[in-house]
Amino acid sequence: MKYFILPCILLASACAKEADQIPAANIGPNPYMGASCSQLGATELQLTQNLETLTAAQKSAASGDAVGVILLGLPLSSMSGNDKETDIAVTKGKLQAVQAAKVKRKCR
């Protein structure tokens, strides 16, 4: 029985995470400090839309992994490159950086 539990834990940890469980990468506001308030607003909107698209793709990958693990014992979506964890972390980090730059520049 103990030989069955360890592989199950390893497979479950290889599955795609839900987007809300992925922490933001630390970008910092410096790359965006030279932008105007309107540019920051446009960038924030673009990043928000991109994050929504990535979140939908990640949700699909997590669902696919769950089904793959149940049926075949393999996280198929993660294995096929559909896991968007890195992209989500970077996008969240950029979004936080833009928001921090907006605060420092006193944008509305």
Side-chain angles (χ1 to χ4, degrees):
M1 182 68 173
K2 66 181 176 181
Y3 296 109
F4 178 72
I5 294 172
L6 182 60
C8 288
I9 292 171
L10 291 175
L11 283 173
S13 66
C15 292
K17 292 180 184 177
E18 292 292 332
D20 60 345
Q21 296 176 343
I22 299 171
N26 186 9
I27 305 293
N30 290 340
Y32 299 101
M33 289 306 293
S36 68
C37 288
S38 62
Q39 290 172 327
L40 289 171
T43 301
E44 183 178 27
L45 178 62
Q46 180 184 19
L47 289 169
T48 300
Q49 291 170 343
N50 189 26
L51 184 59
E52 288 174 6
T53 302
L54 290 169
T55 297
Q58 186 69 7
K59 184 176 181 180
S60 177
S63 297
D65 278 355
V67 169
V69 168
I70 290 170
L71 296 178
L72 302 173
L74 299 171
L76 297 177
S77 290
S78 293
M79 292 172 61
S80 64
N82 292 335
D83 190 351
K84 303 294 182 195
E85 183 173 349
T86 302
D87 295 334
I88 289 173
V90 169
T91 302
K92 283 182 175 182
K94 287 180 179 179
L95 191 55
Q96 287 179 351
V98 167
Q99 291 166 346
K102 285 177 70 175
V103 168
K104 284 187 177 186
R105 293 193 48 119
K106 298 180 179 150
C107 299
R108 291 182 173 215

